[in-house]
Amino acid sequence: MRFLSNKHSAPTIKLMLALLFGITGLTIASCGQKTEDSAKSADTTPNAAAPATGEEEKILNIYNWSDYLAEDTIPNFEKETGIKVRYDIFDSNEILHAKMIAKNTGYDIVVPSSNWGKMQIDGGLIQKLDKSKLPNWKNLDPTVLAQLAQLDPGNEHLVDWLWSYTTVGINVDKVKTALGDMPMPENTWDLVFDPKYTSKLKSCGISMLDAPSEVFPIALRYVHKPEFSLVEADYKAAFDMLMKVRPDIKRFNSGGQIEDLASGNICVALGWAGDFNLARKRSIENKSEQNIEALVTKMGGYMFMDTMAIPTDAKHPNNAHKFINYVLDAKVHAGLTNAVTYANPNKAATEFVNPEIRNNKTIFLSDEDVKNLIPPGNVDNATRRIETRLYTQFKTGT
Ligand code: SPD
């Protein structure tokens, strides 16, 4: 992230201040801020002003996670509606949240995980949906809606894009070779948290997500503490455990794990199950055929739902509703799942999901496995600052 250039827009300066003063306990993680811009018309910058007539210009600015689209999702929407889309990407909730609290993001749709979305709703940063503009709402699975309603009562603000869970992903062949005679552990989290295993696996490369909020709930459960503890000593216990494996971690990255696994640069990752399945798919496509698996661990992973939301100050809320309704179309939602191997919340989409994805129990988990996951949760700002400080220390190894 660059802090010092000659020209900063007001939102950029606010974002810098938020980062510098740790307003939300942010991590200064590498954010992979590449931009995929599918806009072809003249002015489609996020801050382009709406026309004074009150009628919305045919523009939509979206901010979403990397590797989270089918090739035809945006082009088909543009064709269908005549709305030009500008699409930017991020790799952590911390980065998105910093932009949200700095306000004036310029985006019409953002995709926070539901627990971060809740903080943004509470902060008045997300507007209520107008469900009369979402006829495809009926396609949503009531079970997923109920789960989401725990953080967004009445499902008034957030619509699930896709969902998955944080877990351990491995390159089966490389891990077997690195472990030699040692059998796989009963608790597969040992592969990333127990030096007995990590000291062997470091030879083929271990990666962890570059965000404290992703790792601490799991690390806390591993050391038998509450996943969203507000007690500093619990975080210290998790940190002490993490520091024992620190010498064996090759890198901290989030969006980059897909490529690293698909090309055989790493063999173990603490990351997102959907990305592990996508890495497997990519390695088949690029003919490197890495035997990558997302593990459904007995101890359980950390569930997340990434949700579409309309910022309060969005300039194109009508276009945003059109886009949400378009995504909720059964075939569009199935297309997302087929492209990126994440589960969707759309009951009507199931019949259009490729059978090998629909029947993959690491993507669409059994009810039993879902129950075992840590549900999305939050801590207070003071605790988030503790997480950030300790994770930065963990990353620097000090
Ligand atoms: N490649 C898509 C990644 C989406 C990951 N979202 C993770 C949120 C975890 N809280």
Side-chain angles (χ1 to χ4, degrees):
M1 180 171 290
R2 276 176 292 129
F3 283 99
L4 297 171
S5 71
N6 292 333
K7 280 188 192 166
H8 291 302
S9 62
T12 307
I13 290 169
K14 282 192 204 158
L15 169 62
M16 288 163 56
L17 290 173
L19 284 165
L20 285 169
F21 293 110
I23 290 167
T24 52
L26 302 163
T27 180
I28 304 179
S30 68
C31 56
Q33 294 271 28
K34 296 159 281 175
T35 296
E36 292 165 358
D37 186 353
S38 68
K40 293 170 199 79
S41 65
D43 185 6
T44 58
T45 55
N47 291 322
T53 60
E55 193 181 301
E56 248 174 48
E57 55 190 345
K58 289 202 157 257
I59 286 172
L60 181 69
N61 299 301
I62 303 179
Y63 197 37
N64 197 355
W65 298 81
S66 59
D67 285 297
Y68 229 15
L69 268 184
E71 260 178 36
D72 60 1
T73 313
I74 300 297
N76 284 352
F77 174 74
E78 290 181 327
K79 238 183 274 160
E80 223 173 78
T81 60
I83 295 168
K84 295 286 171 206
V85 174
R86 181 186 168 101
Y87 192 86
D88 293 340
I89 56 176
F90 59 88
D91 275 330
S92 81
N93 276 299
E94 281 83 348
I95 294 291
L96 167 60
H97 193 65
K99 288 211 179 191
M100 293 290 284
I101 59 169
K103 302 224 177 105
N104 211 357
T105 60
Y107 294 109
D108 304 302
I109 297 259
V110 291
V111 188
S113 299
S114 57
N115 48 338
W116 290 78
K118 179 187 169 29
M119 284 193 274
Q120 291 151 15
I121 295 167
D122 292 347
L125 302 172
I126 289 178
Q127 61 179 267
K128 274 194 186 170
L129 298 163
D130 179 348
K131 291 195 191 146
S132 71
K133 294 182 179 155
L134 303 173
N136 286 332
W137 185 270
K138 63 178 185 320
N139 291 341
L140 285 166
D141 183 339
T143 320
V144 177
L145 284 174
Q147 165 84 39
L148 203 47
Q150 291 180 16
L151 294 170
D152 176 25
N155 299 107
E156 290 192 321
H157 305 80
L158 306 175
V159 189
D160 188 33
W161 170 267
L162 294 171
W163 69 269
S164 183
Y165 53 99
T166 304
T167 190
V168 184
I170 59 169
N171 181 317
V172 180
D173 304 327
K174 285 181 189 287
V175 164
K176 272 194 188 146
T177 308
L179 290 183
D181 294 339
M182 192 182 257
M184 283 287 275
E186 202 182 316
N187 181 355
T188 35
W189 281 107
D190 290 348
L191 294 172
V192 289
F193 290 150
D194 183 344
K196 198 165 103 195
Y197 295 92
T198 57
S199 57
K200 289 191 180 288
L201 295 169
K202 75 190 264 194
S203 60
C204 54
I206 303 175
S207 161
M208 280 197 190
L209 291 172
D210 192 5
S213 63
E214 303 282 356
V215 177
F216 269 112
I218 297 163
L220 285 162
R221 181 179 272 199
Y222 187 78
V223 298
H224 309 290
K225 306 288 183 198
E227 297 91 0
F228 303 104
S229 172
L230 300 179
V231 177
E232 184 160 4
D234 291 349
Y235 287 83
K236 186 67 178 54
F239 171 77
D240 290 343
M241 177 279 287
L242 288 169
M243 283 305 274
K244 294 201 179 107
V245 298
R246 178 62 188 91
D248 303 331
I249 310 296
K250 179 172 180 174
R251 64 178 58 142
F252 292 87
N253 61 356
S254 299
Q257 288 186 349
I258 298 172
E259 186 49 37
D260 275 347
L261 280 165
S263 57
N265 282 339
I266 56 167
C267 63
V268 181
L270 185 166
W272 303 310
D275 279 8
F276 299 149
N277 279 295
L278 185 54
R280 182 189 182 89
K281 185 169 172 252
R282 291 260 168 93
S283 83
I284 293 167
E285 283 160 9
N286 73 21
K287 310 246 181 300
S288 75
E289 312 269 344
Q290 307 289 336
N291 188 2
I292 299 157
E293 261 182 32
L295 302 180
V296 180
T297 68
K298 265 198 206 148
M299 187 190 92
Y302 183 18
M303 180 186 209
F304 60 85
M305 290 184 175
D306 293 328
T307 58
M308 293 178 275
I310 308 176
T312 309
D313 54 11
K315 294 203 168 69
H316 311 101
N318 283 331
N319 296 346
H321 279 87
K322 280 185 192 151
F323 183 76
I324 293 173
N325 194 54
Y326 164 81
V327 170
L328 294 184
D329 174 86
K331 287 193 178 154
V332 175
H333 232 153
L336 288 177
T337 293
N338 289 334
V340 301
T341 65
Y342 275 74
N344 65 66
N346 192 316
K347 259 203 146 158
T350 310
E351 62 174 304
F352 303 111
V353 174
N354 297 336
E356 74 273 14
I357 292 182
R358 193 168 64 217
N359 299 323
N360 182 330
K361 287 291 172 214
T362 73
I363 299 175
F364 287 94
L365 293 176
S366 70
D367 292 348
E368 201 50 41
D369 287 332
V370 170
K371 269 191 221 136
N372 219 8
L373 297 175
I374 303 168
N378 274 328
V379 292
D380 57 23
N381 281 342
T383 307
R384 208 169 280 293
R385 277 194 287 275
I386 293 170
E387 285 187 344
T388 303
R389 178 170 45 78
L390 291 176
Y391 206 69
T392 305
Q393 252 177 275
F394 170 50
K395 287 201 305 180
T396 55
T398 51

